[in-house]
Amino acid sequence: MNSGSHATVALIGRKRTAAEAAEGAPIKAGVRLAVVWMGLGLGLGLGLGFGGAAMAQTATGGAPASSASSSALASPPPASSSAPAPSPFWSPKGKLLLTGGVSSIDGAAGGGLTPWALTGSYATEGQIGTTAYYTRLPTQDYGLTGYGALVAFGERAELSIARQDFSAGGTGAALNLPGLHLKQTILGAKLRLGGDAILDADTWMPQLALGVEYKSVDAAGLNPTLSALGAKRHGVDVYLSATKLLLAQSTLVNLTLRASRANQNGLLGFGGTASHRYSLLPEVSVAYLINKNWAVGAEYRMKPDKLNPSVLGDALKEQDWKDVFVAWAPTKNFSLTAAYVDLGKVVPGVQPRRQRGVYGSIQLAY
């Protein structure tokens, strides 16, 4: 990027118009949608989780008094009658290994790059599960660190939070911003709409889930440039995932349709002078279960291209993401994921080569 480009960006940055303020209305509406949706997911999840636990307690210990008295004469009460009711938090979790997926870079359960319709952890009906993760992805010129956690209410709903720290490396120095870090926070909610990946494994019905992610990025010294390019620093993604588990073939297939205008997943803001409209983009995951502890697979995620073209020409052109991965879960409480990731060209006007690297992620679950 030459000095003329810097001057152009700086000039545009000084000429922000009142129209940009008006464009904030869709973002505010999106924020309200995210908050309402996460509240709905939490309410439904808690209701189902604790309601299921209460029903289980009633079913196991709530027999009518008359029948209880007569049965007491016939035989002594079972030894377990005095045991406390199982807690939705501490009961053994019953899902199969790896069927909760791993933590995606956005925090939702699924593959490394894309969410699945399955909820995280191993919680089943009437249970509450949690996971926490840490991810690192270095490429030739950049580095991404991510961490977060989620809580799952059975196979019904999921709430997640993720934090990303993207090191711009030499690109920041080329923009006269040495040591530049882009930091993003992502709040997510997912609600199962229908189907059951396990119980419907012998049918063609997939598990379906609707998800929403509210993203907020702090681009530090790059914030004025993003504003000059028409990119907002808050955005909302909405996605629909369909996950099909083929038990006989030991294969899981997932298709996600995402409505988004996030540049580089939100790290370069949302929308731009090229377009502020949402794009509907597919994301595909395929996983093969080698055995109960090991899975291998691949993912492909299409990306919007809202900063191309801009006053910088195609210098900010965005490309799709893809990976091949292996996941190992020796127990339900611990898993490791490694992947070879291709992010395409990221800010090709400064770093023209493709950004590839080895992704590693550790997850703890309960």
Side-chain angles (χ1 to χ4, degrees):
M1 198 177 292
N2 56 38
S3 60
S5 298
H6 286 300
T8 301
V9 171
L11 178 61
I12 294 176
R14 296 188 186 102
K15 294 183 178 179
R16 299 181 65 189
T17 65
E20 289 181 324
E23 289 174 353
I27 298 298
K28 293 178 181 178
V31 173
R32 288 194 294 270
L33 171 63
V35 172
V36 170
W37 189 256
M38 284 186 281
L40 175 61
L42 179 60
L44 285 174
L46 288 174
L48 289 166
F50 290 107
M55 292 176 64
Q57 181 178 357
T58 301
T60 56
S66 59
S67 60
S69 60
S70 59
S71 61
L73 295 175
S75 60
S80 61
S81 62
S82 59
S87 164
F89 288 98
W90 305 116
S91 299
K93 307 300 190 285
K95 288 164 64 173
L96 301 175
L97 273 173
L98 293 172
T99 56
V102 296
S103 297
S104 70
I105 60 172
D106 291 341
L113 297 182
T114 184
W116 297 349
L118 303 171
T119 57
S121 83
Y122 292 95
T124 54
E125 192 69 27
Q127 297 179 331
I128 298 175
T130 60
T131 68
Y133 76 96
Y134 176 87
T135 293
R136 177 66 181 164
L137 171 58
T139 67
Q140 291 92 333
D141 301 295
Y142 304 107
L144 176 66
T145 300
Y147 52 91
L150 67 78
V151 56
F153 306 94
E155 195 59 39
R156 177 60 59 181
E158 168 190 296
L159 297 176
S160 62
I161 182 170
R163 179 74 170 171
Q164 297 175 346
D165 186 333
F166 183 83
S167 172
T171 298
L175 298 173
N176 294 322
L177 295 170
L180 175 65
H181 281 251
L182 313 177
K183 298 183 179 181
Q184 182 170 221
T185 300
I186 303 173
L187 302 177
K190 182 193 299 182
L191 182 68
R192 180 167 66 94
L193 301 179
D196 188 294
I198 302 297
L199 298 181
D200 293 332
D202 58 347
T203 74
W204 286 104
M205 178 66 183
Q207 183 164 321
L208 300 173
L210 183 66
V212 60
E213 294 173 349
Y214 169 72
K215 302 180 178 183
S216 175
V217 64
D218 178 7
L222 199 61
N223 282 328
T225 301
L226 294 182
S227 296
L229 295 169
K232 306 303 180 183
R233 286 182 288 283
H234 305 274
V236 177
D237 285 4
V238 180
Y239 64 87
L240 176 67
S241 291
T243 303
K244 181 61 185 172
L245 180 60
L246 307 170
L247 284 177
Q249 291 76 29
S250 301
T251 301
L252 180 146
V253 180
N254 180 82
L255 172 63
T256 294
L257 292 177
R258 180 186 298 265
S260 176
R261 55 180 181 177
N263 308 313
Q264 297 297 346
N265 197 41
L267 291 168
L268 290 181
F270 305 85
T273 52
S275 174
H276 277 289
R277 302 185 65 179
Y278 276 82
S279 296
L280 187 61
L281 303 163
E283 303 170 7
V284 180
S285 299
V286 178
Y288 176 72
L289 305 177
I290 299 174
N291 56 41
K292 68 176 185 177
N293 302 108
W294 289 89
V296 296
E299 299 177 283
Y300 191 95
R301 176 171 173 174
M302 293 188 67
K303 309 289 293 309
D305 198 15
K306 304 301 182 181
L307 292 177
N308 178 48
S310 69
V311 294
L312 305 176
D314 63 354
L316 299 174
K317 181 177 175 60
E318 189 168 356
Q319 296 185 336
D320 298 342
W321 290 355
K322 57 188 81 70
D323 74 14
V324 291
F325 67 85
V326 57
W328 174 55
T331 72
K332 290 186 176 182
N333 304 115
F334 176 81
S335 68
L336 288 174
T337 304
Y340 179 73
V341 180
D342 183 350
L343 302 180
K345 297 178 180 180
V346 180
V347 191
V350 179
Q351 299 290 357
R353 60 180 172 178
R354 300 183 71 88
Q355 299 299 314
R356 300 183 176 99
V358 176
Y359 162 105
S361 183
I362 182 172
Q363 177 178 277
L364 304 176
Y366 188 82

